[in-house]
Amino acid sequence: MIDKIGKTFTSIRFAISHVGNTRNLLKRAIRLFRQKGFHGIKERLRHFYQADINEKMWAQNPIERSTSNVYIENYNVSLNTAKNVPENYTKYRNNDKQVFDTKLIAFYLPQFHCFPENDEWWGKGFTEWRNVTKAVPQFLNHNQPILPGDLGYYDLNNEEVLSDQVSIATNYGISAFCFHYYWFSGTKLMEKPIRKFLNNSQLDIEFCICWANENWTRRWDGNDKDVLIAQNHNTTIDSTFIEDIAEYIRDNRYLKVDGKALIVVYRPSIIPNINEIVAIWRNYCRANGLGELQLVMAKCFDQEDPEKYGFDAAVEFPPHQLGSIVYPKSIDTLQPLNSQFSGLVYDYNEVVNKKVEYYKSIAEHVKMYPTVFPSWDNEARKPGRGHIFAHSTPTKYQEWLESAINFSSQNKTSNDSLVFVNAWNEWAEGAVLEPTLKDGYSYLNATRNALVRSEVVDICNKSQADFLSRKKHSGNLVVLHLHYEDLFEELFSNISNIPNYDILISFGPTISFEKARYILNKFSCVAGFLLPNVGRDILPFIHLMRFVSDIKYDTVIKLHSKKSLHRDDGDIWRNQLVESLIGNEQLAQKNISSIDNDCTLLAPKGNLYNSTEFVGSNHTHFSNLSSLSELEVESCQYFFPAGSMYIADYDKLQQFLDFLKNCDDGFEEEFGQVDGTMAHAIERFIGYYYMVNNWKIIEAN
């Protein structure tokens, strides 16, 4: 059967390359497959067809070929993703409907349909897909061409496409589309998609307009060379723009901020008498029942201060203005495939790091909405001279988005928290949230994760404030690192045996808002923390103990959701560790009472290990912590609590952790290591530190 299908695909592909009317042929082929009971092949046929187009474009592409054929081979790898699902591909996931405190607004490009002007300027049948599919990689592992996933090479004349886009967007937490609006002195281009959206009230998502008020040029840069249609800005004409979009503002789905209709203008700086025009717009809306406006300036080119143009706020529009914080890298470091490449390559990771620091550094209120992009690579529009932000990953994008959400919620330009994403579907500029052939729904999944995590951060921040506001705290402090939240009930049943305690809980990065809220509500005096998966249970413990450094406790009970996945007896070991410390009320009371001037740390029964037998591969980290040579580390004898769960004297433990205050940057990224990390070294080092200070460690009896 599989052989037969494969041969049929091959035959169809051969036929497609030789038959002129490919569209009708594809339709007939799809009908035939469905009649035979073969479903789900529409996209695959489309990709086979597109692969042929790509191969023909490749044959005509003037970019230099490598004599080793590495260039061609790398390009073919991209094409072959049409036939093989990559390992990191993320499938669609149906999420529960949730209203988030922050609204995410994705810029939307209405280019993907045919219209007369494009036919005239670029050739019959032109859409952005033609640019997208002809892109080629400029260096090894350069992800070009960037090809669509589940939605395929869609045509926005098809109303079902908009419906699918809205369904996907809302499922992953997008609150609104910001449609780029092409209005040239009364002439409108590419209005069909937003018009179809307006006429279909079933499309349940908010929307707003961004006036793309610069020239449309053959070079896609808005400058004065090779102008296809110009913006002839003057007061008389530009004043009527508001009348043209009034019907959109009246729609009950139009995005309002504090009750004001939000309008973005891309380049107000090139509009003469802009302040006078803005006054006319506002008066028109008041006089015609449209209410007040929230006018937003895009932070691009040299535009910085929205008030200069009579606007209410600015919105970031990266990659604009990133040149002041990051610098291009030499393509030679990326194994170039095209020696004639004249574009610029930046490091996406550096951008995110700088933006995260920037959001943290803004001390005073600014009237600005943050914007992030999942990736950026306009090689498709500028062959051999594109601007590329390399090494983008869903994880790094999520970090940027989380930081932007946090900034917006803390530094609201209005009563609403808004964050923009550039973009939903800028395929030729490589800025895409829509599912791609390579990554599937990875970036959309990261988008929703960032929103969920922001909700968890909010509830954790509130719990921390409530915790610190208490006038009286208990004598016992439980510190729980809950990376595996599925173990909470098991741990909670044991924690309940502890008398008179406060608790600090660090959650892992995958915790849901509902689960975090449920867990925090189980305790009367609790503070929650959402921390990255770095440093196992050790680095979170250090952070949480710093949080209570000004509060006096007698004892600390350190616990964590230990699974030890590399061991067959992982669950047995965890249960033995926890139950020997706090397995019942009497035992918990007895063990806590044993902490005094003589005994400063109590290890679980059977888990006080001799260092000479369990140094492992921790020599280097341990040597740095202790100032011992690695040879001395090998021969030094002390005892440490294996499994890193124990009951300890609060003051002594804080002294130990204070000694580690400069270790934060030494913790490695999490790759499932079973030994040799900073966390493993500190697990052992506590025993050495206590021995040197003559602090006694004993084992639970």
Side-chain angles (χ1 to χ4, degrees):
M1 175 66 75
I2 293 174
D3 259 359
K4 182 183 274 187
I5 294 173
K7 289 176 181 177
T8 307
F9 270 120
T10 303
S11 301
I12 291 174
R13 189 171 181 180
F14 176 81
I16 286 172
S17 64
H18 290 80
V19 177
N21 194 349
T22 56
R23 183 172 298 175
N24 287 337
L25 178 64
L26 277 173
K27 287 180 178 178
R28 292 203 306 273
I30 290 166
R31 268 199 310 272
L32 175 63
F33 269 102
R34 284 176 176 162
Q35 288 169 4
K36 298 293 184 182
F38 302 145
H39 298 285
I41 50 79
K42 184 175 182 180
E43 288 308 314
R44 189 164 181 188
L45 280 172
R46 186 179 288 154
H47 291 315
F48 269 115
Y49 168 53
Q50 194 59 51
D52 278 315
I53 293 175
N54 282 331
E55 287 166 1
K56 290 173 183 175
M57 289 183 173
W58 165 253
Q60 300 167 4
N61 198 295
I63 294 178
E64 176 183 342
R65 276 70 164 165
S66 166
T67 55
S68 66
N69 287 328
V70 174
Y71 200 2
I72 298 174
E73 289 168 10
N74 193 255
Y75 182 72
N76 286 335
V77 167
S78 297
L79 294 183
N80 286 335
T81 60
K83 308 165 193 175
N84 303 294
V85 176
E87 290 181 6
N88 60 345
Y89 186 94
T90 301
K91 296 181 179 179
Y92 179 85
R93 184 182 69 192
N94 191 32
N95 297 304
D96 295 333
K97 286 288 184 182
Q98 185 173 342
V99 178
F100 296 100
D101 291 338
T102 295
K103 288 187 175 182
L104 287 191
I105 304 160
F107 287 105
Y108 183 104
L109 180 69
Q111 237 279 15
F112 301 96
H113 65 288
C114 297
F115 53 94
E117 290 82 0
N118 258 358
D119 286 349
E120 177 186 346
W121 297 332
W122 303 101
K124 186 71 174 175
F126 176 88
T127 72
E128 279 274 55
W129 293 125
R130 189 175 298 178
N131 283 333
V132 170
T133 56
K134 72 181 181 182
V136 294
Q138 301 299 302
F139 48 85
L140 207 61
N141 299 318
H142 180 199
N143 179 33
Q144 284 289 2
I146 302 170
L147 304 177
D150 286 7
L151 291 173
Y153 301 90
Y154 54 74
D155 181 352
L156 289 178
N157 282 317
N158 181 353
E159 292 188 12
E160 291 182 7
V161 173
L162 267 172
S163 179
D164 289 342
Q165 288 174 323
V166 168
S167 176
I168 292 172
T170 54
N171 182 63
Y172 284 95
I174 302 297
S175 298
F177 286 145
C178 184
F179 289 96
H180 289 300
Y181 197 75
Y182 295 86
W183 188 88
F184 301 86
S185 305
T187 299
K188 289 175 281 190
L189 300 181
M190 296 186 289
E191 192 193 15
K192 274 187 179 181
I194 190 173
R195 173 66 58 182
K196 289 179 180 294
F197 180 92
L198 182 70
N199 293 337
N200 186 351
S201 61
Q202 299 303 308
L203 298 175
D204 188 17
I205 192 172
E206 292 183 290
F207 75 104
C208 60
I209 282 172
C210 173
W211 181 19
N213 68 306
E214 62 179 5
N215 295 331
W216 193 342
T217 70
R218 189 169 291 278
R219 299 170 59 150
W220 311 99
D221 56 11
N223 290 319
D224 295 331
K225 293 182 179 179
D226 298 322
V227 174
L228 299 175
I229 183 169
Q231 287 284 4
N232 298 311
H233 287 298
N234 64 68
T235 305
T236 302
I237 294 175
D238 291 341
S239 296
T240 64
F241 170 73
I242 196 69
E243 300 175 27
D244 182 81
I245 65 170
E247 61 178 326
Y248 293 107
I249 298 174
R250 286 194 177 92
D251 191 273
N252 59 13
R253 294 166 295 175
Y254 197 89
L255 180 66
K256 305 291 198 304
V257 176
D258 295 342
K260 304 173 184 177
L262 187 147
I263 300 172
V264 179
V265 178
Y266 184 55
R267 297 185 68 179
S269 62
I270 65 174
I271 302 176
N273 304 317
I274 181 61
N275 284 276
E276 179 184 346
I277 291 168
V278 163
I280 293 171
W281 289 352
R282 294 189 191 277
N283 288 332
Y284 176 87
C285 289
R286 292 173 190 137
N288 289 274
L290 299 176
E292 298 295 328
L293 295 177
Q294 177 80 354
L295 292 174
V296 179
M297 172 204 81
K299 277 177 64 65
C300 56
F301 301 96
D302 60 347
Q303 295 174 165
E304 290 288 350
D305 182 10
E307 293 182 355
K308 178 180 178 180
Y309 309 107
F311 279 52
D312 302 296
V315 60
E316 291 182 309
F317 205 82
H320 279 279
Q321 300 186 353
L322 290 180
S324 62
I325 63 171
V326 293
Y327 300 96
K329 310 296 180 185
S330 170
I331 195 173
D332 292 337
T333 64
L334 299 170
Q335 296 182 276
L337 300 172
N338 173 19
S339 63
Q340 303 303 311
F341 178 75
S342 61
L344 298 173
V345 181
Y346 299 86
D347 186 348
Y348 183 87
N349 294 278
E350 184 181 357
V351 172
V352 174
N353 294 339
K354 291 291 181 65
K355 292 302 292 186
V356 168
E357 288 304 313
Y358 170 68
Y359 293 146
K360 290 178 181 177
S361 69
I362 299 177
E364 59 184 37
H365 180 77
V366 294
K367 296 180 178 179
M368 182 190 78
Y369 300 116
T371 302
V372 306
F373 60 71
S375 56
W376 182 275
D377 181 351
N378 64 359
E379 173 62 26
R381 282 190 173 173
K382 299 181 176 183
R385 54 190 179 88
H387 289 190
I388 302 163
F389 288 77
H391 310 131
S392 164
T393 63
T395 300
K396 204 64 181 177
Y397 158 71
Q398 182 176 328
E399 180 184 342
W400 187 2
L401 182 54
E402 286 180 20
S403 179
I405 292 171
N406 184 59
F407 168 81
S408 182
S409 62
Q410 300 297 321
N411 185 52
K412 293 180 181 177
T413 299
S414 59
N415 289 327
D416 296 312
S417 173
L418 304 181
V419 174
F420 287 73
V421 182
N422 189 24
W424 176 255
N425 62 340
E426 283 279 9
W427 285 92
E429 292 183 336
V432 179
L433 273 185
E434 287 183 320
T436 67
L437 197 61
K438 175 178 176 288
D439 295 310
Y441 292 81
S442 296
Y443 284 92
L444 282 165
N445 195 47
T447 300
R448 182 174 173 84
N449 286 346
L451 286 165
V452 170
R453 280 172 60 88
S454 72
E455 302 285 293
V456 176
V457 168
D458 286 344
I459 194 173
C460 285
N461 288 343
K462 184 178 183 305
S463 72
Q464 293 167 28
D466 291 344
F467 188 97
L468 294 176
S469 69
R470 292 176 70 94
K471 294 181 180 179
K472 184 178 180 181
H473 290 273
S474 303
N476 301 315
L477 175 68
V478 178
V479 182
L480 170 64
H481 180 55
L482 194 65
H483 180 72
Y484 299 108
E485 63 262 27
D486 58 303
L487 294 178
F488 172 71
E489 299 298 342
E490 172 193 307
L491 290 164
F492 178 67
S493 66
N494 286 287
I495 292 170
S496 300
N497 295 324
I498 300 171
N500 303 320
Y501 66 90
D502 298 345
I503 183 167
L504 308 178
I505 305 176
S506 52
F507 295 115
T510 60
I511 191 78
S512 69
F513 173 75
E514 293 80 7
K515 188 71 172 181
R517 180 173 58 184
Y518 167 78
I519 291 170
L520 293 175
N521 286 339
K522 284 281 192 177
F523 304 98
S524 59
C525 185
V526 59
F529 301 79
L530 183 64
L531 299 176
N533 186 25
V534 177
R536 305 291 171 93
D537 59 291
I538 302 295
L539 185 56
F541 181 64
I542 293 172
H543 286 317
L544 271 55
M545 288 296 287
R546 287 174 186 163
F547 175 75
V548 292
S549 60
D550 293 331
I551 302 174
K552 175 63 178 173
Y553 288 97
D554 297 323
T555 59
V556 176
I557 300 93
K558 180 183 181 300
L559 306 169
H560 61 104
S561 56
K562 187 176 184 64
K563 283 196 174 182
S564 301
L565 299 175
H566 61 288
R567 293 175 54 148
D568 292 336
D569 64 342
D571 290 338
I572 296 172
W573 188 21
R574 178 186 66 253
N575 290 330
Q576 190 269 326
L577 290 169
V578 176
E579 290 180 6
S580 72
L581 292 175
I582 54 172
N584 58 62
E585 291 183 12
Q586 183 180 2
L587 179 62
Q589 180 65 64
K590 175 188 172 186
N591 286 338
I592 290 170
S593 299
S594 69
I595 301 297
D596 53 28
N597 291 329
D598 185 45
C599 170
T600 56
L601 189 146
L602 183 77
K605 182 179 180 180
N607 286 274
L608 193 58
Y609 284 12
N610 189 322
S611 62
T612 57
E613 300 175 25
F614 293 96
V615 175
S617 56
N618 298 288
H619 297 77
T620 301
H621 280 312
F622 196 100
S623 178
N624 292 333
L625 290 167
S626 64
S627 298
L628 297 174
S629 69
E630 294 196 14
L631 186 60
E632 290 172 321
V633 170
E634 186 75 37
S635 60
C636 182
Q637 185 176 28
Y638 55 89
F639 292 86
F640 68 94
S644 195
M645 297 195 212
Y646 45 76
I647 300 173
D649 176 84
Y650 175 82
D651 290 333
K652 298 290 192 298
L653 193 56
Q654 283 287 27
Q655 288 181 52
F656 167 68
L657 296 175
D658 187 58
F659 181 83
L660 301 175
K661 61 185 177 183
N662 296 320
C663 294
D664 290 24
D665 295 334
F667 287 89
E668 299 85 351
E669 290 188 44
E670 179 56 46
F671 296 117
Q673 305 96 315
V674 297
D675 200 15
T677 69
M678 177 65 82
H680 290 102
I682 290 176
E683 177 186 22
R684 289 153 177 77
F685 181 67
I686 189 172
Y688 173 80
Y689 187 90
Y690 272 49
M691 180 191 72
V692 169
N693 285 279
N694 294 315
W695 297 343
K696 189 174 182 180
I697 299 178
I698 66 172
E699 187 177 303
N701 186 351

